Structures are given as C-alpha cells and as structure tokens.
Amino acid sequence: MAVCIAVIAKENYPLYIRSVPTQNELKFHYTVHTSLDVVEEKISAVGKSLGDQRELYLGLLYPTEDYKVYGYVTNSKVKFVIVVDSSNTSLRDNEIRSMFRKLHNSFTDVMCNPFHSPGNTIQSKAFDGIVSGMMVQTASTV
Amino acid sequence: MAGSQWELPPELCCRPMAFVALTGLDVVYNAVHRAIWDAFCANRRADRVPISFKVLPGDHEYPKCRTKRTSYEWYIPKGILKTGWMNKHLNLVPALVVLFYELDWDDPQWKEKQSECATKVEIVRTSLQGRNTKVAVVLIQKKTPLPPGEDLVASERAATLCNACDLSGKSLFVLPHTDHLVGYIIRLENAFYEHAQTYYYTEIRRVKSHKEFLNKTTHQLLFVRHQFKIAFFSELKQDTQNALKYYRTAYSLVHELRAHETNMLEIKTMAGFINYKICRLCFQHNTPLDAIAQFRKHIDLCKKKIGSAELAFEHAAWMSKQFQSFGELFDEAIKLGLTAIQTQNPGFYYQQAACYSQDRKQLSQQLCQAGATSPSSEPWDTQTGGLDFYGQRPWRQGHQSIDPPDAEKEKTGILALQIKERDVLHSELIIALLSNAVAQFKKYKCPRMKSHLMVQMGEEYYYAKDYTKALKLLDYVMCDYRTERWWGLLTAILTTALRCAYLMASVKDYIIYCMELLGRGKKEGSTESRSLWNDRMALAASNELTIEVQDYIPFIQCKAKFQCPSFHVDQPIQLQVFLRADCPHPVSFNKLAVSLSNQEYNQWCVVESAGQECMSLLPGKTKCHNFSFVAKTEDVGKKIELTGMELMLGSDSGRCVFLSWRGAGGDAASTHEALQASRSSRRWGREVEARQELDWDSLTMQHSTMIISRVPKISVQLSHRPPALNNEMYCINLTVQSQEGVVAKGVKLTAGLKPGQDANLGQTTHVSLDGSKVCDDTAPALLPDVPLGDLKPGEKLERCVYVNCVSTGSRVFLFHVAYSIDTTVEGRQIVCKCHKVEKVIIILLTVSTNTPQLQSQLQEVVLQTDECASECFCLRCPALANSNNTVATGQYLISWRSANSPLIQTVVTLPHVILESVPLYIHAELPSYGRVRESLSVRYHIENRTSLVQEVEMAVEPSDAFMFSGLKQVRLRILPGSEQQMLYNYYPLMAGYQTLPQLNISLPRCLTTNTHTLRRFLPQRIFVKPQGRQLDEASIAAA
C-alpha cells in the first residue's frame, strides 16, 4: 500500500524511515521532511481549539504530483507519515487509518521494550515486519 | 531565447476588451482633437467601460474579410486556431468605427460639409467591406447644444445628415467642445460600448450559424475552433459567464479529437490555451476551487500525452509551463484579495513546474546528443514567417493526416528541434521557478519545504557551475538540517557542498565538509571522503586553518571536565580532557591545548607530540588526557573556567588544522546526545560498571571550578549568657585555640555586627573591647582586624568583647579569625581564614522609676525575664503663667543593672501635657443603673470656681430613650464659689446602654470659653435594666 513509512520523534528528527527500495530514497526523505511543515501547522491549530480532545489521524497532509502524504500524531507528539502513490486510487481513508493504528500499536510495543532507549532510532524486527507488511502488499497489488 | 516557444501568447493572457477605432482625429496638430483623445485614454480606471481605443486614419485599410463559404461540404480544416485570429479581433478588426467631424448646426457651408462627411463615412464603409462593424459619426461642435426638441434647425439637419450618411439616428453623436469634455466623453463611451456589444453579439450569432453545416467526421477541428471563437467573442462582450461555458465545451471537444503523434502538440497547445482561459475566468469569478479542479483535470488528461518519444522534452517543457502559468494566475488572484492556505498555494505549482523543467533537462540531455551536425535550415524556412496555426510543426503546416508527409523531412525537423533544445539554459529556468516557489513557501509558513527547494536550487547552481552561489545556499540550509538532525539529508547536501568546495578550491570549506562527512552524522561509506581528507592534508602548503566546531559536527568529539566543582587552594586542580574519534580510521594529532579564563594556567594544560611520534585516536575509543596545576593564592574565591580547547591536526611544517571547541567542548549535536544519555543513564550506568570502559554519552562536562581557601585548623569558641538587655554592656567571651602543626602568624580578629543586616542596627549597636569604658555612640558597630599576635601550636587565647545595644530586636554578630601559615605541601605561604558566626538575641526589659522629690515604689525591685514593673505619681499643675497651654512634666530617671554588670542610668522623657481652664465645674449625681419604666432621678451640680458671677443657660435635649420631668430650658446666675443644683426625673423607655438626654450649657457672658469641655465631666450613657419578672408576678398576685 505505502511506498514510504516514517516515524518522526517529538523533536522532528527521524526515528525510522523505510521506503520502497526501487525508488530514490533521498526523495522520500525530503518528502517526509517537508510534510512536517503541515503536521506542525495542524498540531498547533488543533492545540488551540480543542486541547486534549485531539484526533490522532491528521488525514491527507498534502498531495504532490506523484504521491499522497498522510500524517498521524500520537499524544506524545511522535509523528507517523505514510506516503502513498497517487496512482493508487483504490486506497480508502479507512484503510490508511487502520494502517496508522497498526503502526502505532507496533510502535507502542517497541517503546515497551525495556532494552529500547526512547529517542533512539527504532531497531526492531517486529516493527520492521509490520512495516514491510504494509509495503509489500503494494508490490503485490500494483 | 528558445524557451519562449512555450510562452503563452500575450493576446491570450490579456483581458479582452471591445475594440473601437476612432478616425478623423488629428491628434498631432489639432489641439482640440488632442484633448478629446486624451480624455478617451487618460484615467481609464475600473469604473469606466472596458474598451480599447485606437486612433486610425480615415482611409485605414482593415483586414480583408474572406468571402463567406456557403458550404463546408468539401472543406477540410488545416488546424484548430489560426495564430493571428485573437490578435485580429483584439487589435485589428474594430467593433465600431467612429468618425469625428467638425460641424456646427448653423454652419454657413452646411451643404458642402454634409456631403464631405457622407463621403468620409463611405470611405470607412468601403474599407470595412463585408464586416459587420458598426459606423458612428461624432460632430465636434463649438457651441453648447440646446436641450433636445428646442433647436428645430438642429433636429432637421441631423435627420438630413443621417440620411446622407446612411446612418441610424442612434449612430450620430454631438460632442460640444466645452468645459465639460470628460463628462461628454464618458457618455459617448457608454454609447460606443453598447454598439460594440451589439457587434460582438452578431458575431457570436454568425459563428453559431456555421454549426449546422458541420459534420462530425471531417470537421472536428472546426467544432473546437467555433466554440473557442464564441467564447472569445463573449469575453470581448464582457459576458464572462457565457465565455466560461463555451470555453468549457471547447475544452471537452479538444479532448475528443483523434490524437496521434503528428497533431499531439497542436491538441496540447490548444488544450493549454483553453485551460488557461477557464482557470483565469474561474479566478475572476472568485471560484478558486473550480479553477484548481479544472487544472487538476487538465493535468490528469494531458500528463500521459507525451507525443513523439524523440521530443519528450517538449512535453516536459509544456507541462512545466502549464504549472507555471497556473501558479502565476493563482498568485495574481491572491494579490487581488484571494486567501491561500499552507497546503494550497502557488508555491506548489511553481515547484511542480521546476520539477518538470528538471525532467526536461534530463530528457534533453538524453535525447539531444552532442555533436549532431546542424541540419540545413530548411525546416525553419517557414518559421520566420510564423506559423499559421497554433501548435503545428513548421515543416508540415496544415497537415492533418496520421502519417507525416515526408519521413526525411520529419527526421531533420526533429533533429533541428533537438539541437535547439540543447542550447536552452535549463538551469536558469529551473532556478527562476524554484526561487518563485521559495518565495511562496516562505509566505505560507513552510520552512522545511523552503529548505528543500533551496537545496534543489543549490544543486542546480552546482550543475550550472555557479559554485559560489551553490555553496552559499547549501551552507544556509545545512544548518537547518543539522539542528533538525536529519543526517541522511545532511549527508546528501554535504556531498554536493564538498564537490563545490573542491571545485572552488576553497580549502577551509573543503576541510569542514570533510570533517562533517567523516563525523558521526554520516552513516556509511565514508572511505572516499577519508581518502580525500588525506589528500588534502598531504598537500604541502603552509596553511593554518582554525575551525570553530560548535556550528558543525566534526569527526572528533571533545569533552572536558574539572574533577570537582571546587578545589581547595592547597590541592592541585585536576582537569580531564576526553577525545573521541568517530571516523572509521585512526586519526593522529600533534597538539592539544586547553585555554582557561586565567591565561597563566594555560601553560600547564598543553600536550604536544614528542618528535615524530603522533598521538593518535582509535575509532570509537575514548582517550583521556589528565592535566593538573596549582592555583595561585590570589585566585582564592574566584572561578576558573574553560574557555576553549584546540586540537592540532597536521604539523607545523605542513598544513595544519586547528579544531577549536568553545567552553568545555561539544558541537552542534552534543546537547541532544547528552539529553539522550541522561534519559537512559540508569541502564548505561550498569553497563559501564560491567565493561569498565568510559561511556562517551554519559560523560558530563564540568566547565568551571571554584578555588576556595584552605580548610583552617583552628577552633573558635564563643560563650555568653543571654539574654542581653537594652543598653547593657553585654559581654561575649571568645576562645581561640590553634590546632595547626606550625605557628599561626598574624592572627587577627574581626568582631561586630554582621554586615548586611538592617542599616539601623548599625547605629543602635556598639562594640568595644574595653569593658571599663562605657560604650557610647562613638563606638563602631564592627571592629575590624584586631591583631592578636601569633599562636603557637596548641596555644589558647581568650578575649572579651562588649556589646551595647540601644534598641530591641535580634542581631547577628560575626567573629572572624584570620591567620597566615606556611604550608609544607607546595612550599608557599597561604593565608587561611576562618570565621564563626554567633547569633545574639537582645530583649528589652521595661523598667520604670522615680523623681528626685519622691521615693520610688520600685526601689530595689528585681525583675525577672518577662516581668513588668509600673509606677504611678500624682502631679499638680502650677497656676497658668503664660499663654502657652502646654506644660512639660519632666524626666524619669532609672538606675539599674543586671546581675553582675555595671550600674546604668536610663532616662525617659515624660510627655508634655495640654492645660485648659474652665470657669465652671459640673458633675452629675445619678444611680449606677436604671430600670425600664422606673423613675430615675439625676442631680446636676454646677459650681462656679471663679471670682466672678457667672450667668449660665441650660437646656436639655429630648431623647428617644427617655421621658423626663424637670426644667427643660433655664437661665440662672451663680455667685462666686457657690453651687447650683438641678434635679431631673428621667423615665427610661428602652433597655440596654442608653444615651442620656444631653445637657447643653452655655455662658452668654463669656462666649470664648469652650463649653464643650464641660461635657466631658458629665456621664454620656447609663445602663437600663429590663423590667423585672418578679415585679410582674407581684402585680399579678396583687390583682
């Protein structure tokens, strides 16, 4: 489904970035990085009005010519970004949501690992597996 | 410029306005005509009708109208839209030709003039042969016209003139050349505008009428052409809603055309034009979402229509232009008041345009192989004359079948285009688009997008070989990526920057980038950089470079710490400097120098390589250098700070680089790492114990240390017996005993009030060493540096200090013993100071006393803590001597002492008393309480105490609480020394404390006396008891 999945720390540095190996990895890094502009803006806008009653899923951040970028922010301000190919129109909003939820659960598991130091980059096979699951599926459908 | 091929034609981008030609005006030589023309063109604000005027000579040749086709049966169109068409209707074929003619109604040569005018009209008509263009005549008159209907001559002559010129009455106007020229002109304009609208309306009808002759197989192109024309005429008519509708139909028709390689460019060009018009109108109608939707649809439809593979760069160029022109439209709409948002602003379109330009560059690099010989100029022959139709190939204009007519010609044509493309300065185009996008993203708060685009700009400058600009841009954004800690991106940028620096031969930049690339930001594959680094360092040029690392992330990290936050002056100061290399290979260095806030210590903190041996750092290992030095005695109480560290790489003889850290080390990334380490410190701590190795991240920096004095070996003891009394000479015993191994020299005592307390305490506290002398105001509150001589080891010394305080409250006294001693450790004399603080609380005891005449009741009384003694005397005042009413009552003197201290006298000045003389004395005789509804008798005694007869007026004021009987108002005389009595029976009505009826007394004879004072002699209130119950029962019983 996704061509790139990223986890960004509260301080906006990357904790985890995986992209489809066939394409330019650097380009995805830039895409994810620039999408943080929109994430920041959305967080600050919501923060003012609703306080804690925030929806974690931010929806479509911005469409580029080739990709759609979706965002999700946990309560501890850790950001998840999923980049999807624009040509992939079959993907519903709900599916994106469930992808994020899965990602969040897996991330929580990583955080619960006593051997993981929060703030360090994620090195977890289980997390890798979840992410690959979301990315491999694309390869089969496309 | 070759890029201009893709520019939209200006006649497409302008706002179409009705075209009206003015003839018969001589604007060069005739002042009146000039004024008229100026009034038409000057000040064309938005409130005036949209017309474009042009002055043409009367015999101007208008474009010829081709003979109208009666049947389309055998007609095969050659293209969609002629290149000249829009310009023709904007600037060449007028909707209305206006003939200006100077003629007054009462002109003596009316007949001749009328026929001349008719001839002129005829000439215009002939040159407009076949067109529906309207003709109107304006008579320029010197006289102000009369109101319509009053000037019979005028209306008659107007009718004949119309007849002669074959004009309708509506097309004849009169322009009086008077003061109100502009007003007349505006009215004329509005009339012209109506005519023009009728013209365009008939044109639309005319084009529409063609439709029935068309068939869908051969005339597809005409369907598009006609819809476009109708829409364009509607725009000229200012009917933008309909124009939009027709453009939309035209747009869908364009995409219904059969597309193949030969006409792809034409279709795309037209689709682009129509799309531009639609978007423009949507923005104009303030429906930006429609514009965006249309544009998206347009792009989606056209994205895949690449056309000829050999000319794929053309498609990219076209796409880029689409995005760019939409971005410009969007931007323009924003300038006119539209609001854009972060995720939908012109920047995205500029960015995408830049992106397509980059594609174009790549494609052209692939397709346009260098070295192709320039073909004969044949394919361009027609280019000079321009194309007949938009979007066609110059070498096969008007050709509409699927296969090219001449394969050879097609080949040379394509080659010629490729060669032309090769000369295009792509980078320039891309940079221009990117900088547009940067400006937009800056406006809409997208700092990261901005950085990203700036990286792209930098890279583009790099490709364009403008390395200075490239480096400047990259350097600017590197900082952002460094602070955001996106190492992957930073590495990519650094690599480009490194190449720039290399190509610019900028050694310093080169070394800095190398260092960062080798540092911990870099992830993998730095061997290349490593070898580059070695190359540089080996270059034999005596160059010294200093690099401030706090802005970078170098491959050597440095941290320094003092062992303790403070050192005693007799201890050597321990300083540790840790170095660590992150690069994959060992690094050698020649010198490490630490600079401290006091530069005299710097000499102790240098380590240099001996001879040829270099000191080296192993990758990933931490190396520690220890320094120790002795602080100077002058620095006691001061802080020593680390100001910086310098590491020399390379040697003095060759090239050397100084890495310099500010403070105690650390660079652009270390603050975060320290935080990270502290988060996981517990776990790290365990590991460190396990492997007995220093963990870099958990090393904390200690960038300053305090030099403090040597620990004194001397005891100071104080003894005293609290409480201290006010004014007492309070004695405090001080015992000093030396515990030093050697003689303590020059022992000095500072005793007294501790500074820094309430300022008033300094004035009310006095200290002396001499108990016999009474302490007074001259004595200071603090005795500084009283010499006590030398103290041998184990010797004891005692002193008494007397303290006298004249106010109560607690005070803190300070006893401070200083001495100097020769320390054996460093063989230097060190002055050690010791101080001890004792708090003394002083409590005031009130002691009262005796007059000389009288025996005090308090003599020989001993007061304990918290006890209080008081005394009472009766004073008689002497006869009033002077006018002054106040009398001094003298002083109260107490002699006292506490148990074993000297006798002290305390003087209390008694207050002054105000005296008043009153001629009468009055007092009331009344019971101590009353009872409700029981009679209460009050007797007032009034005494005359003067030697004169006093006349007195008395009155009783009524009261709510009492009824009373007795004299209410009376005037009486009292003889000297005698007394009058007044009896009243009061009858209380209410219980509780009640105010008695007020007795007012005045002395009519001597009004000066203040009778108010008399009132003070009288009781004000009385307590009234409620009626008793027993009484009630008794009365009941009686009943």
Side-chain angles (χ1 to χ4, degrees):
Chain A
M1 278 173 259
V3 288
C4 175
I5 290 177
V7 181
I8 315 293
K10 180 172 169 248
E11 298 88 352
N12 284 339
Y13 63 90
L15 292 175
Y16 187 92
I17 296 194
R18 258 279 285 287
S19 55
V20 172
T22 51
Q23 293 178 50
N24 187 358
E25 191 190 345
L26 197 63
K27 190 169 130 195
F28 285 120
H29 280 232
Y30 277 119
T31 309
V32 172
H33 185 243
T34 49
S35 72
L36 292 179
D37 283 334
V38 187
V39 173
E40 293 265 282
E41 191 72 16
K42 287 206 176 193
I43 294 174
S44 66
V46 169
K48 276 172 217 153
S49 58
L50 278 166
D52 306 18
Q53 300 285 305
R54 190 166 57 83
E55 158 102 273
L56 301 180
Y57 178 58
L58 297 179
L60 182 66
L61 296 180
Y62 71 97
T64 64
E65 209 42 40
D66 313 312
Y67 303 108
K68 284 181 186 154
V69 186
Y70 294 89
Y72 183 94
V73 180
T74 69
N75 284 319
S76 54
K77 298 270 174 2
V78 172
K79 292 126 194 151
F80 298 129
V81 175
I82 293 183
V83 184
V84 178
D85 208 302
S86 279
S87 59
N88 192 350
T89 47
S90 62
L91 215 55
R92 306 272 156 141
D93 204 48
N94 255 347
E95 294 171 55
I96 301 280
R97 269 175 202 269
S98 74
M99 278 164 76
F100 275 125
R101 218 165 297 134
K102 249 201 253 173
L103 206 59
H104 194 173
N105 286 340
S106 182
F107 176 75
T108 320
D109 290 344
V110 172
M111 287 299 122
C112 292
N113 175 4
F115 296 102
H116 176 80
S117 147
N120 281 353
T121 51
I122 297 171
Q123 279 156 341
S124 149
K125 273 184 192 160
F127 192 76
D128 270 343
I130 293 282
V131 170
S132 320
M134 290 177 188
M135 311 236 288
V136 165
Q137 238 170 315
T138 13
S140 61
T141 51
V142 167
Chain B
M1 169 94 195
S4 61
Q5 180 195 349
W6 304 106
E7 294 294 328
L8 297 174
E11 55 265 34
L12 182 77
C13 304
C14 69
R15 177 191 175 191
M17 289 192 288
F19 175 41
V20 171
L22 310 179
T23 63
L25 284 179
D26 179 8
V27 294
V28 184
Y29 297 109
N30 189 323
V32 175
H33 291 185
R34 176 87 223 168
I36 292 168
W37 172 236
D38 283 346
F40 272 119
C41 9
N43 259 333
R44 290 215 69 88
R45 285 191 310 256
D47 56 334
R48 289 177 69 170
V49 286
I51 302 182
S52 77
F53 289 106
K54 216 177 233 180
V55 172
L56 295 173
D59 53 352
H60 177 78
E61 286 282 323
Y62 299 97
K64 285 275 176 302
C65 184
R66 271 187 294 127
T67 47
K68 288 287 169 266
R69 211 179 302 279
T70 45
S71 154
Y72 278 88
E73 214 167 315
W74 298 105
Y75 175 67
I76 294 170
K78 289 179 169 164
I80 301 175
L81 187 67
K82 288 220 171 147
T83 46
W85 189 82
M86 281 187 284
N87 187 42
K88 190 169 82 179
H89 286 279
L90 283 172
N91 298 316
L92 301 174
V93 178
L96 172 74
V97 179
V98 184
L99 176 71
F100 284 83
Y101 192 70
E102 285 188 44
L103 180 62
D104 278 275
W105 295 127
D106 52 356
D107 196 281
Q109 295 168 303
W110 171 259
K111 277 273 179 232
E112 290 80 358
K113 291 264 173 104
Q114 182 184 317
S115 64
E116 191 195 337
C117 180
T119 324
K120 285 196 171 179
V121 171
E122 199 45 43
I123 293 170
V124 171
R125 284 236 170 86
T126 335
S127 65
L128 286 167
Q129 196 71 59
R131 299 228 175 255
N132 296 324
T133 304
K134 311 266 179 201
V135 178
V137 172
V138 176
L139 299 179
I140 303 172
Q141 298 191 332
K142 292 191 186 70
K143 290 184 190 137
T144 322
L146 292 166
E150 285 184 26
D151 193 345
L152 292 174
V153 182
S155 46
E156 183 208 320
R157 287 194 163 175
T160 57
L161 187 67
C162 282
N163 256 338
C165 301
D166 192 15
L167 281 174
S168 82
K170 282 182 183 167
S171 304
L172 179 67
F173 304 96
V174 170
L175 174 61
H177 180 60
T178 56
D179 298 338
H180 308 292
L181 187 63
V182 177
Y184 283 112
I185 294 287
I186 287 174
R187 281 168 65 184
L188 268 183
E189 252 177 29
N190 291 333
F192 293 168
Y193 182 61
E194 267 172 44
H195 280 291
Q197 285 202 315
T198 339
Y199 166 76
Y200 289 120
Y201 177 70
T202 51
E203 286 301 290
I204 292 167
R205 292 290 298 272
R206 192 175 57 78
V207 179
K208 275 184 180 170
S209 70
H210 298 325
K211 197 179 171 185
E212 50 191 295
F213 304 112
L214 307 180
N215 66 62
K216 288 231 165 175
T217 46
T218 45
H219 298 140
Q220 268 202 320
L221 298 177
L222 291 183
F223 279 109
V224 179
R225 184 193 294 175
H226 290 166
Q227 288 300 319
F228 183 86
K229 283 184 175 179
I230 294 171
F232 196 77
F233 281 131
S234 301
E235 263 196 291
L236 283 165
K237 199 176 156 237
Q238 308 302 324
D239 181 2
T240 50
Q241 294 293 353
N242 274 322
L244 184 59
K245 196 177 90 191
Y246 292 119
Y247 279 128
R248 281 194 194 278
T249 349
Y251 188 80
S252 56
L253 287 169
V254 161
H255 285 289
E256 282 172 21
L257 294 176
R258 277 187 300 273
H260 39 83
E261 215 162 273
T262 47
N263 73 348
M264 188 66 89
L265 183 64
E266 186 175 7
I267 290 176
K268 276 196 300 191
T269 309
M270 277 318 290
F273 284 5
I274 299 169
N275 173 64
Y276 179 84
K277 278 290 190 189
I278 295 174
C279 295
R280 195 189 154 89
L281 288 174
C282 285
F283 278 123
Q284 202 178 316
H285 292 159
N286 205 12
T287 51
L289 292 179
D290 288 356
I292 292 167
Q294 161 65 27
F295 183 72
R296 290 244 60 89
K297 193 174 99 187
H298 173 58
I299 291 303
D300 288 343
L301 283 170
C302 297
K303 205 172 5 182
K304 295 286 180 314
K305 295 191 173 171
I306 297 167
S308 161
E310 289 127 314
L311 296 172
F313 55 82
E314 281 194 331
H315 178 67
W318 179 81
M319 287 294 277
S320 166
K321 193 68 216 172
Q322 298 305 304
F323 277 101
Q324 188 192 347
S325 49
F326 187 76
E328 279 162 1
L329 275 180
F330 200 165
D331 201 13
E332 218 163 279
I334 288 165
K335 277 177 197 145
L336 293 173
L338 186 74
T339 44
I341 52 167
Q342 192 192 33
T343 49
Q344 192 56 259
N345 69 58
F348 285 103
Y349 299 97
Y350 287 128
Q351 187 202 5
Q352 204 55 41
C355 195
Y356 274 109
S357 283
Q358 282 164 342
D359 285 354
R360 176 187 179 184
K361 191 177 84 174
Q362 267 184 7
L363 288 167
S364 79
Q365 277 166 355
Q366 284 166 16
L367 296 169
C368 313
Q369 300 300 328
T373 49
S374 181
S376 63
S377 57
E378 197 190 357
W380 306 108
D381 279 352
T382 42
Q383 180 77 342
T384 43
L387 291 165
D388 274 353
F389 289 94
Y390 283 117
Q392 294 195 343
R393 298 293 179 198
W395 59 88
R396 46 170 166 79
Q397 290 200 46
H399 176 81
Q400 285 296 336
S401 67
I402 293 176
D403 296 315
D406 181 349
E408 191 58 38
K409 221 175 184 182
E410 187 75 16
K411 230 180 200 173
T412 40
I414 287 172
L415 194 60
L417 282 179
Q418 288 177 341
I419 286 168
K420 202 173 147 207
E421 178 72 11
R422 208 176 56 193
D423 299 333
V424 173
L425 297 169
H426 293 102
S427 293
E428 235 170 66
L429 295 173
I430 297 168
I431 288 165
L433 288 170
L434 284 172
S435 68
N436 270 346
V438 166
Q440 293 291 335
F441 283 116
K442 202 170 173 181
K443 207 154 79 185
Y444 295 101
K445 286 191 227 153
C446 302
R448 294 181 186 88
M449 188 60 110
K450 197 186 107 196
S451 305
H452 174 41
L453 294 173
M454 283 171 81
V455 171
Q456 289 189 354
M457 271 172 89
E459 283 168 354
E460 212 49 58
Y461 273 122
Y462 169 70
Y463 294 129
K465 300 191 169 56
D466 192 344
Y467 303 117
T468 333
K469 277 188 184 155
L471 209 55
K472 205 170 157 191
L473 277 167
L474 293 176
D475 212 31
Y476 184 84
V477 291
M478 245 186 261
C479 204
D480 295 340
Y481 287 105
R482 206 179 283 127
T483 45
E484 290 249 279
R485 309 183 330 103
W486 280 72
W487 305 133
L489 300 180
L490 184 62
T491 307
I493 300 165
L494 275 171
T495 316
T496 317
L498 183 72
R499 291 205 189 101
C500 283
Y502 178 78
L503 290 163
M504 281 170 69
S506 159
V507 180
K508 183 166 180 182
D509 288 331
Y510 186 84
I511 287 175
I512 291 172
Y513 298 139
C514 272
M515 238 166 36
E516 278 213 71
L517 274 175
L518 285 168
R520 59 196 183 284
K522 173 81 178 169
K523 282 191 286 191
E524 76 284 328
S526 53
T527 36
E528 183 199 8
S529 328
R530 169 69 201 170
S531 60
L532 287 172
W533 166 261
N534 274 344
D535 290 350
R536 280 310 93 181
M537 294 306 292
L539 274 182
S542 60
N543 239 337
E544 279 193 16
L545 291 167
T546 306
I547 297 167
E548 298 277 336
V549 297
Q550 68 275 354
D551 300 330
Y552 304 101
I553 303 168
F555 61 85
I556 297 176
Q557 294 185 75
C558 178
K559 280 182 184 178
K561 65 186 271 195
F562 286 107
Q563 290 279 45
C564 304
S566 63
F567 284 95
H568 291 292
V569 72
D570 56 343
Q571 289 173 316
I573 293 169
Q574 305 279 339
L575 174 68
Q576 286 184 310
V577 178
F578 299 93
L579 289 170
R580 176 189 156 109
D582 298 307
C583 53
H585 302 277
V587 184
S588 55
F589 64 96
N590 280 320
K591 189 177 167 187
L592 171 68
V594 180
S595 48
L596 298 158
S597 52
N598 187 342
Q599 299 193 346
E600 286 173 56
Y601 301 130
N602 287 357
Q603 51 179 321
W604 308 106
C605 303
V606 177
V607 53
E608 237 171 314
S609 62
Q612 296 300 308
E613 279 297 301
C614 280
M615 289 171 285
S616 68
L617 294 172
L618 292 173
K621 291 268 189 291
T622 305
K623 194 165 186 180
C624 173
H625 290 271
N626 288 306
F627 299 107
S628 90
F629 57 91
V630 181
K632 296 200 154 85
T633 42
E634 300 94 87
D635 280 348
V636 171
K638 287 183 190 161
K639 246 186 185 169
I640 296 184
E641 277 179 71
L642 279 165
T643 53
M645 278 165 295
E646 250 186 3
L647 187 70
M648 188 174 92
L649 301 169
S651 60
D652 290 325
S653 53
R655 177 169 307 209
C656 59
V657 176
F658 291 97
L659 295 186
S660 91
W661 283 266
R662 212 183 279 161
D667 46 51
S670 45
T671 40
H672 173 82
E673 281 158 8
L675 183 77
Q676 198 54 45
S678 69
R679 270 191 205 162
S680 52
S681 56
R682 250 172 298 153
R683 197 157 53 77
W684 279 120
R686 240 188 291 137
E687 277 180 38
V688 168
E689 278 171 42
R691 60 185 170 157
Q692 284 297 307
E693 198 186 298
L694 277 168
D695 175 61
W696 181 262
D697 288 331
S698 56
L699 276 177
T700 49
M701 296 182 277
Q702 171 71 43
H703 79 287
S704 66
T705 190
M706 188 85 184
I707 310 288
I708 51 178
S709 53
R710 179 176 170 273
V711 182
K713 290 178 184 158
I714 192 164
S715 78
V716 176
Q717 281 177 335
L718 294 175
S719 67
H720 61 107
R721 282 184 300 158
L725 299 176
N726 202 356
N727 254 334
E728 182 189 352
M729 288 297 282
Y730 187 69
C731 174
I732 300 170
N733 264 315
L734 177 81
T735 313
V736 180
Q737 185 167 20
S738 165
Q739 287 152 3
E740 292 283 356
V742 287
V743 179
K745 280 183 276 194
V747 181
K748 282 176 187 165
L749 168 73
T750 301
L753 206 59
K754 189 183 175 195
Q757 299 179 80
D758 189 0
N760 291 333
L761 290 180
Q763 285 157 13
T764 55
T765 310
H766 311 287
V767 181
S768 83
L769 283 175
D770 198 351
S772 57
K773 201 167 71 186
V774 172
C775 222
D776 57 9
D777 287 356
T778 56
L782 182 73
L783 294 171
D785 294 337
V786 181
L788 299 178
D790 294 351
L791 264 182
K792 292 193 186 74
E795 196 181 328
K796 204 173 183 180
L797 193 143
E798 280 190 43
R799 269 300 165 101
C800 271
V801 176
Y802 294 91
V803 174
N804 177 305
C805 304
V806 290
S807 70
T808 55
S810 63
R811 286 160 173 76
V812 180
F813 288 92
L814 184 81
F815 293 88
H816 181 258
V817 179
Y819 63 98
S820 66
I821 195 161
D822 291 333
T823 51
T824 51
V825 192
E826 303 296 331
R828 288 188 302 132
Q829 197 185 56
I830 294 168
V831 179
C832 295
K833 285 186 176 178
C834 152
H835 46 106
K836 188 150 183 171
V837 175
E838 187 73 17
K839 200 172 171 187
V840 179
I841 299 165
I842 295 190
I843 298 161
L844 176 76
L845 295 179
T846 319
V847 189
S848 309
T849 26
N850 57 6
T851 37
Q853 300 94 336
L854 294 169
Q855 186 74 30
S856 170
Q857 298 148 331
L858 295 179
Q859 219 157 17
E860 305 295 330
V861 170
V862 176
L863 291 172
Q864 300 298 324
T865 307
D866 284 344
E867 273 184 349
C868 175
S870 58
E871 198 170 9
C872 190
F873 293 102
C874 206
L875 298 178
R876 178 188 285 265
C877 169
L880 211 57
N882 50 7
S883 57
N884 196 349
N885 283 348
T886 56
V887 167
T889 44
Q891 283 181 326
Y892 183 64
L893 200 68
I894 322 159
S895 296
W896 61 278
R897 61 175 191 166
S898 54
N900 55 353
S901 62
L903 199 69
I904 295 195
Q905 279 205 333
T906 302
V907 178
V908 180
T909 307
L910 295 173
H912 285 234
V913 173
I914 299 169
L915 289 180
E916 273 182 46
S917 63
V918 184
L920 293 178
Y921 176 69
I922 184 163
H923 68 98
E925 195 182 290
L926 76 169
S928 54
Y929 63 89
R931 204 180 274 275
V932 176
R933 275 184 246 154
E934 256 180 69
S935 172
L936 170 77
S937 65
V938 177
R939 190 182 296 271
Y940 293 105
H941 299 262
I942 304 159
E943 242 174 274
N944 182 357
R945 291 187 170 175
T946 58
S947 52
L948 299 168
V949 177
Q950 293 291 347
E951 195 162 319
V952 182
E953 260 186 21
M954 287 174 54
V956 184
E957 284 181 7
S959 159
D960 286 344
F962 295 92
M963 292 197 290
F964 67 90
S965 66
L967 295 167
K968 192 173 180 211
Q969 188 166 23
V970 70
R971 178 183 278 230
L972 44 93
R973 280 189 188 147
I974 308 171
L975 294 173
S978 71
E979 184 191 273
Q980 273 287 327
Q981 295 187 359
M982 305 289 295
L983 183 71
Y984 289 92
N985 278 320
Y986 289 146
Y987 188 71
L989 297 173
M990 287 181 263
Y993 274 109
Q994 299 298 344
T995 311
L996 284 167
Q998 202 171 22
L999 189 68
N1000 280 332
I1001 299 168
S1002 62
L1003 303 170
R1005 287 270 184 87
C1006 62
L1007 290 166
T1008 53
T1009 327
N1010 186 2
T1011 51
H1012 267 285
T1013 46
L1014 282 175
R1015 245 183 237 161
R1016 276 193 286 181
F1017 300 128
L1018 296 175
Q1020 295 290 312
R1021 299 188 303 173
I1022 190 163
F1023 185 75
V1024 181
K1025 286 186 177 178
Q1027 228 165 358
R1029 177 153 286 201
Q1030 277 177 323
L1031 194 78
D1032 285 343
E1033 281 167 11
S1035 60
I1036 290 163

